[in-house]
Amino acid sequence: MLSTVTGLHLPPLNHNTDSHSPQTLTATHLLNSFASPSELKQLHAHLIKTNSPLTSLPPSRIAFVCSLNPSFSYARKLFQHLETPETEAWNSCLKAFAEGNDPIDAILLFNQLQSFCVSPDSFTLSFVLKACTRLLDVSKGRGIHGYVEKLGFQSNLFLMNMILNLYTLCGGERDARLVFDKMPQRDVVTWNIMITQLVKRGEIKGAYDLFSQMPGRSVRSWTLMISGFVQCGKPKEAIGLFLEMEEAGVRPNEVTVVAGLAACADLGDLDLGRRIHEYSNQSGFSRNVRVSNTLIEMYVKCGCLEDACKVFDGMKERTVVSWSAMIAGLAMHGQAEEALRLFSEMIEKGMDPNDVTFVGLLHACSHIGFVDQGREFFTSMTNDYGIVPKIEHYGCMVDLLSRAGLLQEAHEFIINMPIKPNSVVWGALLGGCKVHKNIELAEEATKHLSELDPLNDGYYVVLSNIYAEAQRWEDTARVRKLMRDRGVKKTPGWSSITLDGVVYEFVAGDETHPQAQEIVQMWEKLVEKMKLKGYVPNTSVVLLDIEEDQKEKFLYRHSEKLALIFGLINTEPGTPIRIMKNLRVCEDCHAAFKLISAIVDREIVVRDRNRFHCFKDGSCSCKDYW
DNA sequence: CACCGTTGTC
């Protein structure tokens, strides 16, 4: 191939040859084939004779042919016949290369220009810098940087911003800082580049400091900061900023909307999510695939599976992300069959699944106990789709096996993993040990967890609860002491419910609430009816070594129960209730909610830290497998 | 003729 000789690759020719005059056709044919020096001479003559049809040809094509010619100066002669100045003609070639599939060509062409003393202007340099950035070639970039300064362009904001951006992407932090500090002027783009860098490094505080002190903010600045907060797990701050941006009269664009919706999804803020949806419809953003994908995610995580389906069904164009999001959403809501059906439909439509699609599918299987089906997906994903399982897939498999009670198999699966198991993997085994009461394997899992994730309180809590359930109080105490010694604190459980846009949070045993009295009275009335329907308080979940009647009192003050009763008191009969909990829902509350849903004839949707439980007519969407 | 921002899992 020619390209191997010259290092230049042929960019696609977007020219409709059919619609051209015979003369131009000749030229195009010539350009399409290998052009020897003599052919180029013919072309040259042709161009002169017909008076510049060259302008109608893509300059990158010309540059390509010219670069094949050992006498490069010939290209210059060609360009001298164009009406546009020579540098400008080269710039359009460089631009085409820099934005094409092989940005390296822009650099190679630029090198040739230099040796032939074609004088570069600021645009020339911008295209070369663009190529360096796309190639992440910081050493070439440094050379261009020097050149930019030599030519006296150091106060050209476009160029300096591009150099700064290149350094933030692949240079040292120091290089970027040096350029930033030395810049004679800065504009909003300069600041945005610096903020982007800090966000990527996870230095959200530093990013926000810059955001606060920058002179003028564009929509992009706001968007950057909002998505920065989302990325580092601070959806409250993201939403706060989103509202502040609206106050400031800045109109969100598609990207802002995506970031805002992601925050709503994480926080379960359905009200704002719906408002952003409405705004997206009005602004025509809903046609954007990414916006729709994030809308699906938002509705799924806010417990509105039907709304998510509506968005999905209404999409004109879907990507693998759309399908994966919907499959994962169905999985999260315990609709495994529907998730598998959607997968088949996806395959029928010729859409290729990716690794994330399979995480969703395995998730669906583990949440309903489709062990064999899950195993099949796990092998099929590699055999049929060539996807190498990642740690997430192993995590799902261990979860699938452990939940189903196949603890030995799960353990062997971990031991035989080709990659190092992480804390999620061992944590899944530990979770299964809790459900199926296997102390020995729980201890084995804990051994690994205290090395892999020693500061995560969840694992200590599960182990100590396993001991407590087995009445091994000394071991329980030992684990609690270990936690104290290591300075690990148990995350307090809370549940929240949103009414008229106000979030009400409850913690277990909360009696300071203004409606505490009413809540207790309502609960007592309910519990009587529940007991008639066979409710027996499951005091075994109260893992304290105390008297039975005391245990009942603790049980009745669980945060999710308080939130539910508060919701029942303060909403119209028949309206669905949505509750969020930061930890997993407790077993007794689960049993209670099923009965309550029938007694008060309400749909109760609970978002747990893992999944959704939708209680209706006395049963739960999880079919009690969780 | 140019620079900066976005989605899906555990």
Side-chain angles (χ1 to χ4, degrees):
Chain A
M1 279 300 293
L2 306 175
S3 54
T4 53
V5 178
T6 60
L8 282 163
H9 308 277
L10 192 62
L13 180 64
N14 297 320
H15 230 65
N16 186 351
T17 44
D18 297 337
S19 64
H20 283 89
S21 66
Q23 284 91 344
T24 316
L25 257 183
T26 315
T28 309
H29 274 302
L30 195 53
L31 291 170
N32 264 332
S33 59
F34 181 85
S36 68
S38 74
E39 283 169 328
L40 271 171
K41 278 195 182 111
Q42 280 177 39
L43 173 62
H44 188 190
H46 172 79
L47 293 170
I48 292 164
K49 207 169 69 192
T50 55
N51 201 10
S52 82
L54 190 59
T55 45
S56 66
L57 290 166
S60 59
R61 195 76 190 173
I62 301 162
F64 170 71
V65 175
C66 295
S67 64
L68 295 178
N69 186 348
S71 86
F72 179 81
S73 59
Y74 215 89
R76 304 195 58 189
K77 285 188 191 146
L78 285 181
F79 274 156
Q80 278 154 13
H81 288 280
L82 294 175
E83 282 166 17
T84 41
E86 196 188 0
T87 302
E88 229 172 275
W90 284 113
N91 284 351
S92 38
C93 303
L94 284 169
K95 177 179 154 73
F97 283 139
E99 292 169 358
N101 292 330
D102 299 292
I104 186 94
D105 291 345
I107 291 173
L108 295 169
L109 185 60
F110 177 70
N111 291 341
Q112 300 196 51
L113 288 182
Q114 276 185 303
S115 49
F116 280 86
C117 304
V118 175
S119 50
D121 60 12
S122 66
F123 290 98
T124 318
L125 296 165
S126 81
F127 298 130
V128 185
L129 280 169
K130 172 98 176 178
C132 294
T133 305
R134 289 191 58 201
L135 294 164
L136 297 175
D137 185 345
V138 72
S139 60
K140 182 69 188 169
R142 274 185 225 284
I144 306 294
H145 182 190
Y147 204 48
V148 163
E149 299 208 326
K150 204 178 99 190
L151 294 175
F153 284 122
Q154 55 273 71
S155 52
N156 182 310
L157 260 174
F158 273 106
L159 292 179
M160 292 318 288
N161 282 340
M162 290 186 89
I163 290 164
L164 177 66
N165 188 42
L166 180 62
Y167 286 152
T168 65
L169 289 176
C170 52
E173 187 195 354
R174 242 193 27 207
D175 286 329
R177 196 76 221 185
L178 220 59
V179 171
F180 180 78
D181 290 339
K182 246 176 45 182
M183 281 171 73
Q185 314 106 298
R186 298 166 189 148
D187 65 0
V188 65
V189 175
T190 319
W191 289 91
N192 287 350
I193 290 167
M194 293 303 284
I195 292 173
T196 306
Q197 177 198 28
L198 290 168
V199 166
K200 274 197 195 133
R201 303 160 60 88
E203 292 177 29
I204 194 72
K205 175 84 175 57
Y208 188 67
D209 284 346
L210 284 194
F211 177 80
S212 307
Q213 71 183 80
M214 70 190 283
R217 302 175 190 101
S218 63
V219 191
R220 286 189 177 214
S221 321
W222 289 95
T223 305
L224 255 170
M225 208 57 238
I226 293 168
S227 75
F229 276 130
V230 174
Q231 280 163 35
C232 70
K234 295 185 182 300
K236 269 188 196 165
E237 285 80 352
I239 284 177
L241 213 57
F242 190 92
L243 299 175
E244 210 181 298
M245 178 191 63
E246 283 187 314
E247 289 278 294
V250 178
R251 280 183 67 81
N253 64 20
E254 277 110 320
V255 184
T256 325
V257 157
V258 165
L261 287 171
C264 293
D266 290 347
L267 207 62
D269 190 337
L270 182 59
D271 293 332
L272 181 59
R274 284 202 198 282
R275 198 157 67 75
I276 297 179
H277 188 181
E278 189 56 36
Y279 171 80
S280 302
N281 286 342
Q282 284 163 10
S283 317
F285 296 166
S286 305
R287 284 189 295 271
N288 179 315
V289 187
R290 288 169 190 252
V291 170
S292 291
N293 290 347
T294 318
L295 276 170
I296 292 174
E297 175 74 5
M298 184 276 292
Y299 280 125
V300 161
K301 291 199 174 159
C302 288
C304 307
L305 194 57
E306 284 180 19
D307 293 87
C309 289
K310 262 186 233 165
V311 173
F312 181 80
D313 290 337
M315 287 173 79
K316 286 206 178 62
E317 180 202 343
R318 295 180 193 133
T319 63
V320 63
V321 176
S322 326
W323 290 93
S324 303
M326 201 62 240
I327 289 171
L330 289 162
M332 211 184 277
H333 284 263
Q335 311 234 2
E337 286 99 338
E338 192 58 16
L340 303 194
R341 197 200 55 73
L342 205 64
F343 178 70
S344 314
E345 192 184 325
M346 170 182 182
I347 300 302
E348 275 166 31
K349 296 221 160 115
M351 178 69 69
D352 283 330
N354 65 11
D355 55 332
V356 181
T357 319
F358 280 97
V359 173
L361 283 171
L362 293 174
H363 209 202
C365 293
S366 74
H367 278 319
I368 203 168
F370 286 175
V371 178
D372 293 333
Q373 183 70 258
R375 278 196 259 244
E376 272 172 42
F377 278 130
F378 188 77
T379 44
S380 157
M381 94 172 175
T382 310
N383 295 349
D384 303 333
Y385 301 98
I387 299 164
V388 180
K390 297 211 281 194
I391 192 76
E392 290 88 344
H393 302 103
Y394 289 101
C396 286
M397 283 306 287
V398 174
D399 187 41
L400 175 80
L401 298 169
S402 310
R403 269 176 211 273
L406 303 169
L407 296 171
Q408 292 303 336
E409 189 182 339
H411 188 211
E412 277 161 32
F413 187 88
I414 295 176
I415 290 167
N416 294 323
M417 274 172 62
I419 48 178
K420 190 181 187 308
N422 64 8
S423 60
V424 178
V425 171
W426 286 110
L429 180 65
L430 181 65
C433 292
K434 164 91 168 55
V435 178
H436 300 283
K437 309 189 195 311
N438 185 324
I439 293 182
E440 197 187 326
L441 267 180
E443 285 169 341
E444 168 69 12
T446 306
K447 201 176 77 191
H448 297 276
L449 286 165
S450 62
E451 275 171 29
L452 291 165
D453 198 1
L455 299 180
N456 189 322
D457 62 311
Y459 304 128
Y460 299 90
V461 174
V462 174
L463 183 66
S464 98
N465 288 358
I466 290 174
Y467 285 135
E469 267 189 273
Q471 316 268 311
R472 285 170 54 170
W473 305 111
E474 278 162 31
D475 289 314
T476 304
R478 186 172 50 79
V479 176
R480 298 219 167 130
K481 183 177 183 304
L482 189 63
M483 272 179 91
R484 270 199 308 280
D485 293 347
R486 293 190 180 170
V488 181
K489 285 218 170 64
K490 183 183 181 302
T491 312
W494 55 256
S495 299
S496 70
I497 180 166
T498 307
L499 301 178
D500 293 324
V502 183
V503 181
Y504 299 89
E505 281 192 13
F506 293 85
V507 293
D510 190 352
E511 285 173 351
T512 62
H513 191 270
Q515 281 178 293
Q517 203 70 11
E518 263 182 273
I519 293 174
V520 171
Q521 285 165 6
M522 171 92 172
W523 171 255
E524 277 166 7
K525 265 192 273 175
L526 261 177
V527 84
E528 265 176 53
K529 292 183 191 168
M530 286 158 61
K531 283 182 175 167
L532 289 175
K533 287 192 167 238
Y535 172 67
V536 180
N538 181 357
T539 48
S540 74
V541 305
V542 180
L543 303 165
L544 300 166
D545 195 8
I546 53 174
E547 295 303 317
E548 275 300 302
D549 57 333
Q550 283 293 302
K551 283 188 182 179
E552 239 177 86
K553 199 185 162 203
F554 274 97
L555 199 57
Y556 292 167
R557 303 288 183 276
H558 275 180
S559 66
E560 51 268 59
K561 290 194 181 95
L562 298 178
L564 172 63
I565 304 303
F566 175 78
L568 290 175
I569 293 171
N570 294 292
T571 55
E572 292 300 314
T575 45
I577 302 240
R578 289 172 208 289
I579 293 170
M580 297 227 325
K581 184 170 183 190
N582 65 333
L583 305 175
R584 300 203 47 195
V585 60
C586 117
E587 257 177 83
D588 182 72
C589 291
H590 193 270
F593 279 27
K594 284 198 290 183
L595 293 170
I596 295 170
S597 74
I599 293 168
V600 301
D601 193 24
R602 296 250 208 162
E603 193 178 313
I604 305 163
V605 182
V606 180
R607 171 171 147 182
D608 169 290
R609 70 174 303 154
N610 284 348
R611 58 167 298 158
F612 279 89
H613 296 269
C614 181
F615 303 91
K616 204 179 168 185
D617 303 328
S619 54
C620 178
S621 60
C622 76
K623 300 185 178 78
D624 301 335
Y625 189 87
W626 52 289

